[in-house]
Amino acid sequence: MSFAASVITLFPELFPGPLGASVLGRGLGEGLWSLSTTQLRDFAVDRHRSVDDSPSGGGAGMVLKPDILAKAIDATAPQGDPRPRILMSPRGKPLTQARARELALGPGAVIVCGRFEGIDQRVIDRRGLEEISIGDYVLAGGEVAAMVLLETIVRLIPGVLGKAESHADESFENGLLEYPQYTRPQNFEGVDIPAMLTSGDHGKIAKWRHEQSLALTKARRPDLLTTKSS
Ligand code: SAH
């Protein structure tokens, strides 16, 4: 069974967007993963097809109504659907390569894209939504965040990346940032490829790359060396 993504959104026309390009798009065409969208507004009940209302207690902006969103979630993922239910949210747990790897091994994901000020807390609690953030900044909506999450997951699905684009050595895969990469020409604007890389000594090259990774990680992301959450 391949990875099945379902996205609940007010802007289904944004999908697949970048997820339809290159290797991810090819994987989609080949059925290595699938993508469906649910238009949240289809579940509105009033004349104006409204999906939001003003925040209880006052304040700016609008809040997505829990009853409408719950109906959309239940229609997309009826009881017994084994897929995790995710809400894109700046309050969520930061997305990690490790969580993406776990999700890539599972049956798929049901992803809710927020808009406006946010979402009624009761639907988050009652439908057990796992909140995931893509970083400490605020987007206008969850759609781009859902694409980031899906792009990270889908390229880890076996068969999506060819051997030529393997991810074994990549940043975060071993808790470190990737070593610097080089390719021909041998001399670029007076700078040569480090001699080590053209020495043909694979043991030494692996050691050099590891040292470079470690030095880069120490300099740029010392937090990665002290946490186990890569
Ligand atoms: N008032 C909210 C932000 C709302 S932004 C707050 O302060 O927490 C509107 C929607 O964009 C959110 O519901 C969420 O779905 C999405 N979004 C914004 N920033 C995000 C981020 N960093 N990661 C994931 N989703 C985000």
PDB file of all heavy atoms in Angstrom, residues 62 64 87-93 112-119 131-146, ligand 1:
ATOM      1  N   MET A  62     -10.211  35.990  12.542  1.00  0.00           N
ATOM      2  CA  MET A  62     -11.292  35.015  12.552  1.00  0.00           C
ATOM      3  C   MET A  62     -10.721  33.654  12.916  1.00  0.00           C
ATOM      4  O   MET A  62      -9.528  33.407  12.756  1.00  0.00           O
ATOM      5  CB  MET A  62     -11.946  34.947  11.165  1.00  0.00           C
ATOM      6  CG  MET A  62     -12.568  36.259  10.708  1.00  0.00           C
ATOM      7  SD  MET A  62     -13.943  36.774  11.749  1.00  0.00           S
ATOM      8  CE  MET A  62     -15.306  35.996  10.876  1.00  0.00           C
ATOM      9  N   LEU A  64     -11.336  29.349  12.547  1.00  0.00           N
ATOM     10  CA  LEU A  64     -12.043  28.288  11.818  1.00  0.00           C
ATOM     11  C   LEU A  64     -12.983  27.567  12.774  1.00  0.00           C
ATOM     12  O   LEU A  64     -12.602  27.176  13.875  1.00  0.00           O
ATOM     13  CB  LEU A  64     -11.049  27.292  11.202  1.00  0.00           C
ATOM     14  CG  LEU A  64     -10.294  27.765   9.957  1.00  0.00           C
ATOM     15  CD1 LEU A  64      -9.305  26.691   9.493  1.00  0.00           C
ATOM     16  CD2 LEU A  64     -11.253  28.119   8.819  1.00  0.00           C
ATOM     17  N   LEU A  87      -2.134  18.834  12.028  1.00  0.00           N
ATOM     18  CA  LEU A  87      -2.500  20.231  11.794  1.00  0.00           C
ATOM     19  C   LEU A  87      -1.226  21.035  11.636  1.00  0.00           C
ATOM     20  O   LEU A  87      -0.350  21.008  12.517  1.00  0.00           O
ATOM     21  CB  LEU A  87      -3.312  20.770  12.994  1.00  0.00           C
ATOM     22  CG  LEU A  87      -3.545  22.278  13.019  1.00  0.00           C
ATOM     23  CD1 LEU A  87      -4.421  22.725  11.841  1.00  0.00           C
ATOM     24  CD2 LEU A  87      -4.186  22.705  14.343  1.00  0.00           C
ATOM     25  N   MET A  88      -1.089  21.730  10.517  1.00  0.00           N
ATOM     26  CA  MET A  88       0.055  22.617  10.351  1.00  0.00           C
ATOM     27  C   MET A  88      -0.179  23.820  11.273  1.00  0.00           C
ATOM     28  O   MET A  88      -1.239  24.449  11.225  1.00  0.00           O
ATOM     29  CB  MET A  88       0.176  23.097   8.898  1.00  0.00           C
ATOM     30  CG  MET A  88       0.313  21.984   7.853  1.00  0.00           C
ATOM     31  SD  MET A  88       1.370  20.590   8.302  1.00  0.00           S
ATOM     32  CE  MET A  88       2.949  21.400   8.571  1.00  0.00           C
ATOM     33  N   SER A  89       0.825  24.119  12.131  1.00  0.00           N
ATOM     34  CA  SER A  89       0.615  25.145  13.151  1.00  0.00           C
ATOM     35  C   SER A  89       1.941  25.665  13.681  1.00  0.00           C
ATOM     36  O   SER A  89       2.824  24.865  14.009  1.00  0.00           O
ATOM     37  CB  SER A  89      -0.179  24.516  14.310  1.00  0.00           C
ATOM     38  OG  SER A  89      -0.043  25.295  15.471  1.00  0.00           O
ATOM     39  N   PRO A  90       2.082  26.997  13.786  1.00  0.00           N
ATOM     40  CA  PRO A  90       3.338  27.517  14.342  1.00  0.00           C
ATOM     41  C   PRO A  90       3.519  27.140  15.816  1.00  0.00           C
ATOM     42  O   PRO A  90       4.620  27.240  16.344  1.00  0.00           O
ATOM     43  CB  PRO A  90       3.214  29.038  14.168  1.00  0.00           C
ATOM     44  CG  PRO A  90       1.767  29.303  13.934  1.00  0.00           C
ATOM     45  CD  PRO A  90       1.164  28.049  13.377  1.00  0.00           C
ATOM     46  N   ARG A  91       2.450  26.669  16.460  1.00  0.00           N
ATOM     47  CA  ARG A  91       2.563  26.244  17.861  1.00  0.00           C
ATOM     48  C   ARG A  91       2.989  24.789  17.982  1.00  0.00           C
ATOM     49  O   ARG A  91       3.114  24.267  19.088  1.00  0.00           O
ATOM     50  CB  ARG A  91       1.218  26.376  18.577  1.00  0.00           C
ATOM     51  CG  ARG A  91       0.645  27.764  18.593  1.00  0.00           C
ATOM     52  CD  ARG A  91      -0.566  27.782  19.493  1.00  0.00           C
ATOM     53  NE  ARG A  91      -1.376  26.572  19.288  1.00  0.00           N
ATOM     54  CZ  ARG A  91      -2.541  26.346  19.877  1.00  0.00           C
ATOM     55  NH1 ARG A  91      -3.037  27.241  20.708  1.00  0.00           N
ATOM     56  NH2 ARG A  91      -3.213  25.239  19.630  1.00  0.00           N
ATOM     57  N   GLY A  92       3.111  24.104  16.815  1.00  0.00           N
ATOM     58  CA  GLY A  92       3.368  22.663  16.848  1.00  0.00           C
ATOM     59  C   GLY A  92       4.805  22.308  17.160  1.00  0.00           C
ATOM     60  O   GLY A  92       5.669  23.173  17.319  1.00  0.00           O
ATOM     61  N   LYS A  93       5.050  21.008  17.239  1.00  0.00           N
ATOM     62  CA  LYS A  93       6.416  20.498  17.388  1.00  0.00           C
ATOM     63  C   LYS A  93       7.162  20.783  16.101  1.00  0.00           C
ATOM     64  O   LYS A  93       6.639  20.519  15.010  1.00  0.00           O
ATOM     65  CB  LYS A  93       6.356  18.973  17.553  1.00  0.00           C
ATOM     66  CG  LYS A  93       6.740  18.469  18.912  1.00  0.00           C
ATOM     67  CD  LYS A  93       7.033  16.992  18.828  1.00  0.00           C
ATOM     68  CE  LYS A  93       7.494  16.490  20.167  1.00  0.00           C
ATOM     69  NZ  LYS A  93       7.441  15.042  20.262  1.00  0.00           N
ATOM     70  N   VAL A 112      -4.382  19.065   7.909  1.00  0.00           N
ATOM     71  CA  VAL A 112      -5.286  20.218   7.954  1.00  0.00           C
ATOM     72  C   VAL A 112      -4.458  21.492   7.811  1.00  0.00           C
ATOM     73  O   VAL A 112      -3.479  21.698   8.536  1.00  0.00           O
ATOM     74  CB  VAL A 112      -6.073  20.262   9.288  1.00  0.00           C
ATOM     75  CG1 VAL A 112      -6.947  21.508   9.364  1.00  0.00           C
ATOM     76  CG2 VAL A 112      -6.905  18.983   9.469  1.00  0.00           C
ATOM     77  N   CYS A 113      -4.855  22.334   6.846  1.00  0.00           N
ATOM     78  CA  CYS A 113      -4.199  23.627   6.656  1.00  0.00           C
ATOM     79  C   CYS A 113      -5.045  24.700   7.339  1.00  0.00           C
ATOM     80  O   CYS A 113      -6.202  24.885   6.975  1.00  0.00           O
ATOM     81  CB  CYS A 113      -4.096  23.957   5.175  1.00  0.00           C
ATOM     82  SG  CYS A 113      -3.194  22.729   4.221  1.00  0.00           S
ATOM     83  N   GLY A 114      -4.462  25.403   8.278  1.00  0.00           N
ATOM     84  CA  GLY A 114      -5.168  26.496   8.939  1.00  0.00           C
ATOM     85  C   GLY A 114      -5.154  27.744   8.073  1.00  0.00           C
ATOM     86  O   GLY A 114      -4.415  27.849   7.096  1.00  0.00           O
ATOM     87  N   ARG A 115      -6.008  28.669   8.438  1.00  0.00           N
ATOM     88  CA  ARG A 115      -6.054  30.007   7.822  1.00  0.00           C
ATOM     89  C   ARG A 115      -6.518  30.957   8.903  1.00  0.00           C
ATOM     90  O   ARG A 115      -6.958  30.539   9.959  1.00  0.00           O
ATOM     91  CB  ARG A 115      -7.036  30.048   6.643  1.00  0.00           C
ATOM     92  CG  ARG A 115      -6.460  29.544   5.344  1.00  0.00           C
ATOM     93  CD  ARG A 115      -5.687  30.633   4.577  1.00  0.00           C
ATOM     94  NE  ARG A 115      -4.707  30.056   3.670  1.00  0.00           N
ATOM     95  CZ  ARG A 115      -3.880  30.772   2.913  1.00  0.00           C
ATOM     96  NH1 ARG A 115      -3.927  32.091   2.938  1.00  0.00           N
ATOM     97  NH2 ARG A 115      -3.010  30.183   2.129  1.00  0.00           N
ATOM     98  N   PHE A 116      -6.471  32.240   8.645  1.00  0.00           N
ATOM     99  CA  PHE A 116      -6.940  33.266   9.576  1.00  0.00           C
ATOM    100  C   PHE A 116      -6.127  33.206  10.883  1.00  0.00           C
ATOM    101  O   PHE A 116      -4.960  32.849  10.870  1.00  0.00           O
ATOM    102  CB  PHE A 116      -8.446  33.130   9.839  1.00  0.00           C
ATOM    103  CG  PHE A 116      -9.239  32.867   8.584  1.00  0.00           C
ATOM    104  CD1 PHE A 116      -9.986  31.712   8.440  1.00  0.00           C
ATOM    105  CD2 PHE A 116      -9.199  33.761   7.508  1.00  0.00           C
ATOM    106  CE1 PHE A 116     -10.714  31.461   7.284  1.00  0.00           C
ATOM    107  CE2 PHE A 116      -9.922  33.512   6.346  1.00  0.00           C
ATOM    108  CZ  PHE A 116     -10.682  32.357   6.240  1.00  0.00           C
ATOM    109  N   GLU A 117      -6.775  33.509  12.011  1.00  0.00           N
ATOM    110  CA  GLU A 117      -6.055  33.507  13.285  1.00  0.00           C
ATOM    111  C   GLU A 117      -5.717  32.106  13.744  1.00  0.00           C
ATOM    112  O   GLU A 117      -4.784  31.886  14.505  1.00  0.00           O
ATOM    113  CB  GLU A 117      -6.899  34.208  14.368  1.00  0.00           C
ATOM    114  CG  GLU A 117      -6.694  35.701  14.434  1.00  0.00           C
ATOM    115  CD  GLU A 117      -5.227  36.106  14.432  1.00  0.00           C
ATOM    116  OE1 GLU A 117      -4.521  35.815  15.402  1.00  0.00           O
ATOM    117  OE2 GLU A 117      -4.806  36.707  13.437  1.00  0.00           O
ATOM    118  N   GLY A 118      -6.522  31.141  13.342  1.00  0.00           N
ATOM    119  CA  GLY A 118      -6.260  29.777  13.797  1.00  0.00           C
ATOM    120  C   GLY A 118      -7.529  28.956  13.838  1.00  0.00           C
ATOM    121  O   GLY A 118      -8.486  29.231  13.100  1.00  0.00           O
ATOM    122  N   ILE A 119      -7.537  27.957  14.720  1.00  0.00           N
ATOM    123  CA  ILE A 119      -8.553  26.922  14.720  1.00  0.00           C
ATOM    124  C   ILE A 119      -9.106  26.748  16.122  1.00  0.00           C
ATOM    125  O   ILE A 119      -8.351  26.804  17.093  1.00  0.00           O
ATOM    126  CB  ILE A 119      -7.897  25.616  14.221  1.00  0.00           C
ATOM    127  CG1 ILE A 119      -7.668  25.773  12.720  1.00  0.00           C
ATOM    128  CG2 ILE A 119      -8.687  24.371  14.520  1.00  0.00           C
ATOM    129  CD1 ILE A 119      -6.516  25.084  12.230  1.00  0.00           C
ATOM    130  N   GLU A 131      -0.016  18.669  16.108  1.00  0.00           N
ATOM    131  CA  GLU A 131       0.383  19.964  15.537  1.00  0.00           C
ATOM    132  C   GLU A 131       1.862  19.925  15.150  1.00  0.00           C
ATOM    133  O   GLU A 131       2.711  19.587  15.958  1.00  0.00           O
ATOM    134  CB  GLU A 131       0.124  21.087  16.546  1.00  0.00           C
ATOM    135  CG  GLU A 131      -1.363  21.287  16.821  1.00  0.00           C
ATOM    136  CD  GLU A 131      -1.622  22.452  17.769  1.00  0.00           C
ATOM    137  OE1 GLU A 131      -1.364  23.603  17.384  1.00  0.00           O
ATOM    138  OE2 GLU A 131      -2.075  22.188  18.895  1.00  0.00           O
ATOM    139  N   ILE A 132       2.137  20.260  13.897  1.00  0.00           N
ATOM    140  CA  ILE A 132       3.517  20.304  13.401  1.00  0.00           C
ATOM    141  C   ILE A 132       3.806  21.691  12.839  1.00  0.00           C
ATOM    142  O   ILE A 132       3.013  22.248  12.078  1.00  0.00           O
ATOM    143  CB  ILE A 132       3.766  19.231  12.311  1.00  0.00           C
ATOM    144  CG1 ILE A 132       3.641  17.821  12.925  1.00  0.00           C
ATOM    145  CG2 ILE A 132       5.141  19.407  11.658  1.00  0.00           C
ATOM    146  CD1 ILE A 132       3.950  16.684  11.950  1.00  0.00           C
ATOM    147  N   SER A 133       4.965  22.237  13.240  1.00  0.00           N
ATOM    148  CA  SER A 133       5.417  23.549  12.757  1.00  0.00           C
ATOM    149  C   SER A 133       6.579  23.360  11.798  1.00  0.00           C
ATOM    150  O   SER A 133       7.380  22.440  11.971  1.00  0.00           O
ATOM    151  CB  SER A 133       5.878  24.395  13.948  1.00  0.00           C
ATOM    152  OG  SER A 133       6.622  25.515  13.496  1.00  0.00           O
ATOM    153  N   ILE A 134       6.684  24.221  10.781  1.00  0.00           N
ATOM    154  CA  ILE A 134       7.865  24.128   9.914  1.00  0.00           C
ATOM    155  C   ILE A 134       8.910  25.182  10.287  1.00  0.00           C
ATOM    156  O   ILE A 134       9.931  25.294   9.612  1.00  0.00           O
ATOM    157  CB  ILE A 134       7.509  24.215   8.411  1.00  0.00           C
ATOM    158  CG1 ILE A 134       6.906  25.565   8.048  1.00  0.00           C
ATOM    159  CG2 ILE A 134       6.583  23.077   8.010  1.00  0.00           C
ATOM    160  CD1 ILE A 134       7.065  25.897   6.568  1.00  0.00           C
ATOM    161  N   GLY A 135       8.699  25.913  11.371  1.00  0.00           N
ATOM    162  CA  GLY A 135       9.724  26.862  11.798  1.00  0.00           C
ATOM    163  C   GLY A 135       9.134  28.001  12.606  1.00  0.00           C
ATOM    164  O   GLY A 135       7.925  28.210  12.622  1.00  0.00           O
ATOM    165  N   ASP A 136      10.010  28.752  13.256  1.00  0.00           N
ATOM    166  CA  ASP A 136       9.571  29.814  14.153  1.00  0.00           C
ATOM    167  C   ASP A 136       9.314  31.117  13.405  1.00  0.00           C
ATOM    168  O   ASP A 136      10.060  32.091  13.544  1.00  0.00           O
ATOM    169  CB  ASP A 136      10.620  30.029  15.254  1.00  0.00           C
ATOM    170  CG  ASP A 136      10.687  28.840  16.189  1.00  0.00           C
ATOM    171  OD1 ASP A 136       9.742  28.020  16.188  1.00  0.00           O
ATOM    172  OD2 ASP A 136      11.682  28.726  16.924  1.00  0.00           O
ATOM    173  N   TYR A 137       8.296  31.089  12.580  1.00  0.00           N
ATOM    174  CA  TYR A 137       7.838  32.266  11.850  1.00  0.00           C
ATOM    175  C   TYR A 137       6.396  31.989  11.484  1.00  0.00           C
ATOM    176  O   TYR A 137       5.942  30.840  11.576  1.00  0.00           O
ATOM    177  CB  TYR A 137       8.685  32.517  10.583  1.00  0.00           C
ATOM    178  CG  TYR A 137       9.051  31.238   9.874  1.00  0.00           C
ATOM    179  CD1 TYR A 137       8.108  30.574   9.073  1.00  0.00           C
ATOM    180  CD2 TYR A 137      10.304  30.664  10.038  1.00  0.00           C
ATOM    181  CE1 TYR A 137       8.415  29.388   8.447  1.00  0.00           C
ATOM    182  CE2 TYR A 137      10.616  29.461   9.413  1.00  0.00           C
ATOM    183  CZ  TYR A 137       9.676  28.829   8.620  1.00  0.00           C
ATOM    184  OH  TYR A 137       9.986  27.643   8.018  1.00  0.00           O
ATOM    185  N   VAL A 138       5.648  33.010  11.079  1.00  0.00           N
ATOM    186  CA  VAL A 138       4.212  32.830  10.851  1.00  0.00           C
ATOM    187  C   VAL A 138       3.871  33.024   9.377  1.00  0.00           C
ATOM    188  O   VAL A 138       4.178  34.055   8.782  1.00  0.00           O
ATOM    189  CB  VAL A 138       3.398  33.809  11.728  1.00  0.00           C
ATOM    190  CG1 VAL A 138       1.907  33.621  11.472  1.00  0.00           C
ATOM    191  CG2 VAL A 138       3.703  33.574  13.208  1.00  0.00           C
ATOM    192  N   LEU A 139       3.276  31.997   8.797  1.00  0.00           N
ATOM    193  CA  LEU A 139       2.797  32.048   7.412  1.00  0.00           C
ATOM    194  C   LEU A 139       1.358  32.541   7.403  1.00  0.00           C
ATOM    195  O   LEU A 139       0.714  32.620   8.445  1.00  0.00           O
ATOM    196  CB  LEU A 139       2.854  30.653   6.796  1.00  0.00           C
ATOM    197  CG  LEU A 139       4.214  29.949   6.819  1.00  0.00           C
ATOM    198  CD1 LEU A 139       4.047  28.466   6.511  1.00  0.00           C
ATOM    199  CD2 LEU A 139       5.158  30.605   5.836  1.00  0.00           C
ATOM    200  N   ALA A 140       0.845  32.826   6.198  1.00  0.00           N
ATOM    201  CA  ALA A 140      -0.548  33.275   6.090  1.00  0.00           C
ATOM    202  C   ALA A 140      -1.519  32.100   6.131  1.00  0.00           C
ATOM    203  O   ALA A 140      -2.698  32.269   6.405  1.00  0.00           O
ATOM    204  CB  ALA A 140      -0.732  34.061   4.797  1.00  0.00           C
ATOM    205  N   GLY A 141      -1.014  30.905   5.837  1.00  0.00           N
ATOM    206  CA  GLY A 141      -1.879  29.726   5.831  1.00  0.00           C
ATOM    207  C   GLY A 141      -1.057  28.456   5.872  1.00  0.00           C
ATOM    208  O   GLY A 141       0.158  28.496   5.670  1.00  0.00           O
ATOM    209  N   GLY A 142      -1.722  27.344   6.101  1.00  0.00           N
ATOM    210  CA  GLY A 142      -1.014  26.075   6.275  1.00  0.00           C
ATOM    211  C   GLY A 142      -0.624  25.372   4.986  1.00  0.00           C
ATOM    212  O   GLY A 142       0.065  24.352   5.028  1.00  0.00           O
ATOM    213  N   GLU A 143      -1.033  25.893   3.821  1.00  0.00           N
ATOM    214  CA  GLU A 143      -0.818  25.155   2.569  1.00  0.00           C
ATOM    215  C   GLU A 143       0.659  24.982   2.236  1.00  0.00           C
ATOM    216  O   GLU A 143       1.094  23.876   1.898  1.00  0.00           O
ATOM    217  CB  GLU A 143      -1.546  25.849   1.405  1.00  0.00           C
ATOM    218  CG  GLU A 143      -3.070  25.682   1.430  1.00  0.00           C
ATOM    219  CD  GLU A 143      -3.779  26.538   2.467  1.00  0.00           C
ATOM    220  OE1 GLU A 143      -3.138  27.459   3.045  1.00  0.00           O
ATOM    221  OE2 GLU A 143      -4.976  26.306   2.720  1.00  0.00           O
ATOM    222  N   VAL A 144       1.423  26.057   2.294  1.00  0.00           N
ATOM    223  CA  VAL A 144       2.845  25.952   1.970  1.00  0.00           C
ATOM    224  C   VAL A 144       3.536  25.058   3.004  1.00  0.00           C
ATOM    225  O   VAL A 144       4.391  24.230   2.664  1.00  0.00           O
ATOM    226  CB  VAL A 144       3.501  27.351   1.879  1.00  0.00           C
ATOM    227  CG1 VAL A 144       5.018  27.239   1.819  1.00  0.00           C
ATOM    228  CG2 VAL A 144       2.983  28.095   0.651  1.00  0.00           C
ATOM    229  N   ALA A 145       3.116  25.170   4.258  1.00  0.00           N
ATOM    230  CA  ALA A 145       3.687  24.318   5.317  1.00  0.00           C
ATOM    231  C   ALA A 145       3.381  22.848   5.032  1.00  0.00           C
ATOM    232  O   ALA A 145       4.245  21.984   5.198  1.00  0.00           O
ATOM    233  CB  ALA A 145       3.137  24.728   6.681  1.00  0.00           C
ATOM    234  N   ALA A 146       2.153  22.550   4.571  1.00  0.00           N
ATOM    235  CA  ALA A 146       1.778  21.167   4.246  1.00  0.00           C
ATOM    236  C   ALA A 146       2.636  20.651   3.092  1.00  0.00           C
ATOM    237  O   ALA A 146       3.042  19.492   3.077  1.00  0.00           O
ATOM    238  CB  ALA A 146       0.296  21.089   3.882  1.00  0.00           C
TER     239      ALA A 146
HETATM  240  N1  SAH B   1      -2.508  33.142  15.104  1.00  0.00           N
HETATM  241  C1  SAH B   1      -1.723  31.960  14.877  1.00  0.00           C
HETATM  242  C2  SAH B   1      -1.090  31.964  13.469  1.00  0.00           C
HETATM  243  C3  SAH B   1      -2.088  31.799  12.362  1.00  0.00           C
HETATM  244  S1  SAH B   1      -1.333  31.735  10.784  1.00  0.00           S
HETATM  245  C4  SAH B   1      -0.624  31.877  15.939  1.00  0.00           C
HETATM  246  O1  SAH B   1      -0.200  32.929  16.417  1.00  0.00           O
HETATM  247  O2  SAH B   1      -0.182  30.769  16.291  1.00  0.00           O
HETATM  248  C5  SAH B   1      -2.546  30.878   9.852  1.00  0.00           C
HETATM  249  C6  SAH B   1      -2.247  29.415   9.588  1.00  0.00           C
HETATM  250  O3  SAH B   1      -1.026  29.277   8.885  1.00  0.00           O
HETATM  251  C7  SAH B   1      -2.089  28.520  10.801  1.00  0.00           C
HETATM  252  O4  SAH B   1      -3.335  28.072  11.287  1.00  0.00           O
HETATM  253  C8  SAH B   1      -1.245  27.378  10.287  1.00  0.00           C
HETATM  254  O5  SAH B   1      -2.046  26.385   9.665  1.00  0.00           O
HETATM  255  C9  SAH B   1      -0.399  28.049   9.227  1.00  0.00           C
HETATM  256  N2  SAH B   1       0.968  28.352   9.683  1.00  0.00           N
HETATM  257  C10 SAH B   1       1.470  29.580   9.931  1.00  0.00           C
HETATM  258  N3  SAH B   1       2.747  29.510  10.325  1.00  0.00           N
HETATM  259  C11 SAH B   1       3.088  28.206  10.332  1.00  0.00           C
HETATM  260  C12 SAH B   1       4.279  27.494  10.672  1.00  0.00           C
HETATM  261  N4  SAH B   1       5.382  28.117  11.071  1.00  0.00           N
HETATM  262  N5  SAH B   1       4.257  26.150  10.564  1.00  0.00           N
HETATM  263  C13 SAH B   1       3.146  25.486  10.162  1.00  0.00           C
HETATM  264  N6  SAH B   1       1.988  26.113   9.835  1.00  0.00           N
HETATM  265  C14 SAH B   1       1.947  27.450   9.918  1.00  0.00           C
END
